[in-house]
Amino acid sequence: MYEEYFDKLKKAFQIRNRKESSLEAYKQSVSKFLDTIGKNPEEVTLEDARDYIFDLRVNQKKSTQYCNSINAALKFFYRFVLNKPWDEDMVPRMINDLKQPEVMPLESIEKVIDTATAVRNKAIISLLYSSGLRLGELCRLAPSDIYKSTMQVHIRSGKNHWDHWTILSQRSLDLLTEYWRSYPVQREYLFVDLREPHAPLTKSGVETMIKKVGKAAGFPKLHPHVLRHSFASHMIEQGVSLENIQAMMGHRTPESTHKYIHVSNKALMGIKSPLDHPAPKKRGRKKKNG
């Protein structure tokens, strides 16, 4: 129904070198918006966008992060597809309600890995945690991105258009080796649908698998990003520098990494309150004789 507009949206993304995954998310957001308000795209107004986002937040109780993602999609669509002005006073971004990232103890993650029955799924869960990968990064991995000689994983064109490197654990390598030997088919992607060896796994497919395995292990709300959060938190607990964690996780700014300091209780151990530090002794002045 909106193909003409989505073609323009795609071109606007391509000329800005925006990611294909973001394009699909924007298309879904815009499509829901247009279906809800029931107007021809040329007739939409800023009031329509404002009322739509207001309803998402106030009536549907969507998160501020979700509402801001819709705001970003509509702003891009208005400006670069419809050529309509966007007024941030009329349709402002919301102040995010920031929650601490959810993490799991190592014993729980080991239980999830052990619960998975297929070796491919064990390898996926292990790699997401032990290398701190984003879900999209895992789905795009090629066999050549696994460096056994240096025990590293090469992330090509990550979220921020950055190539970066992260660590590879021995246990993950062992599971990857077992998985590879169990399905030695020449393929472009490391993790594939076993029925279609040339098609990479989809993010939704991995999410579904992890939720199913997590439920069986006693963690019904397990999400792939929890494994990544746990990696960063556990690295801090081990005393790894924030600079190295930032590099391994592919964060653009240190602020994205700093939030994990607040998650790690062990990182705070040994830090004394200033009230518990002895006050410096005051040196009295010597009296002059006279």
Side-chain angles (χ1 to χ4, degrees), residues 21-35:
S21 57
S22 297
L23 172 62
E24 293 305 314
Y26 275 33
K27 285 170 63 175
Q28 290 182 15
S29 297
V30 170
S31 182
K32 287 182 181 178
F33 166 68
L34 294 174
D35 288 343

Side-chain angles (χ1 to χ4, degrees), residues 5-272:
Y5 297 96
F6 289 159
D7 285 343
K8 292 181 180 179
L9 183 65
K10 182 177 182 178
K11 290 178 181 178
F13 258 68
Q14 289 174 332
I15 201 168
R16 291 168 176 80
N17 194 30
R18 299 285 295 269
K19 283 189 169 291
E20 187 75 22
S21 57
S22 297
L23 172 62
E24 293 305 314
Y26 275 33
K27 285 170 63 175
Q28 290 182 15
S29 297
V30 170
S31 182
K32 287 182 181 178
F33 166 68
L34 294 174
D35 288 343
T36 299
I37 65 172
K39 284 186 177 181
N40 183 293
E42 300 294 341
E43 299 173 349
V44 299
T45 65
L46 281 175
E47 286 78 7
D48 292 325
R50 178 186 175 92
D51 292 344
Y52 179 72
I53 295 175
F54 180 87
D55 180 70
L56 290 175
R57 178 60 179 163
V58 176
N59 298 323
Q60 299 185 39
K61 308 300 182 185
K62 298 293 185 181
S63 69
T64 55
Q65 287 88 345
Y66 179 83
C67 291
N68 282 337
S69 71
I70 302 300
N71 184 303
L74 296 184
K75 177 181 178 180
F76 192 94
F77 185 70
Y78 271 60
R79 293 183 61 198
F80 304 119
V81 177
L82 301 178
N83 295 315
K84 291 177 179 282
W86 184 266
D87 187 345
E88 295 189 357
D89 290 331
M90 172 67 74
V91 195
R93 287 180 61 84
M94 297 179 186
I95 297 174
N96 278 326
D97 296 327
L98 297 178
K99 296 181 179 180
Q100 293 297 332
E102 183 181 351
V103 301
M104 296 174 67
L106 177 57
E107 313 84 74
S108 298
I109 293 172
E110 289 177 332
K111 183 178 180 181
V112 173
I113 296 172
D114 292 340
T115 301
T117 53
V119 65
R120 182 195 64 174
N121 295 342
K122 288 179 180 289
I124 287 172
I125 297 168
S126 171
L127 198 58
L128 282 170
Y129 165 67
S130 64
S131 298
L133 299 180
R134 297 181 177 93
L135 186 52
E137 294 169 347
L138 176 122
C139 292
R140 292 192 300 271
L141 282 178
S144 58
D145 293 327
I146 305 299
Y147 285 71
K148 294 189 291 185
S149 59
T150 58
M151 295 301 287
Q152 290 179 301
V153 181
H154 184 206
I155 311 300
R156 294 171 291 118
S157 188
K159 179 180 178 181
N160 297 315
H161 291 269
W162 286 358
D163 281 18
H164 66 277
W165 296 83
T166 186
I167 55 176
L168 173 66
S169 79
Q170 184 61 53
R171 185 174 181 188
S172 288
L173 178 59
D174 292 342
L175 288 169
L176 285 170
T177 302
E178 184 180 352
Y179 158 62
W180 188 262
R181 289 173 177 169
S182 71
Y183 191 65
V185 176
Q186 187 69 27
R187 54 193 187 269
E188 180 181 357
Y189 298 98
L190 179 60
F191 295 108
V192 295
D193 187 326
L194 301 185
R195 296 165 297 183
E196 299 181 49
H198 300 293
L201 288 181
T202 63
K203 292 194 291 184
S204 61
V206 177
E207 286 177 348
T208 300
M209 178 275 289
I210 287 180
K211 187 173 183 179
K212 182 178 179 181
V213 174
K215 185 176 181 179
F219 310 102
K221 295 184 179 181
L222 181 60
H223 187 274
H225 230 56
V226 174
L227 301 172
R228 175 173 161 86
H229 293 326
S230 301
F231 166 82
S233 179
H234 296 167
M235 287 287 97
I236 288 176
E237 290 174 0
Q238 292 179 26
V240 178
S241 72
L242 289 176
E243 290 80 6
N244 284 334
I245 297 173
Q246 178 184 346
M248 288 188 289
M249 298 192 74
H251 285 156
R252 184 180 292 273
T253 63
E255 287 73 22
S256 298
T257 313
H258 286 171
K259 64 185 176 184
Y260 292 105
I261 296 177
H262 306 293
V263 180
S264 175
N265 291 328
K266 290 183 180 178
L268 298 177
M269 290 182 179
I271 301 176
K272 287 188 176 181

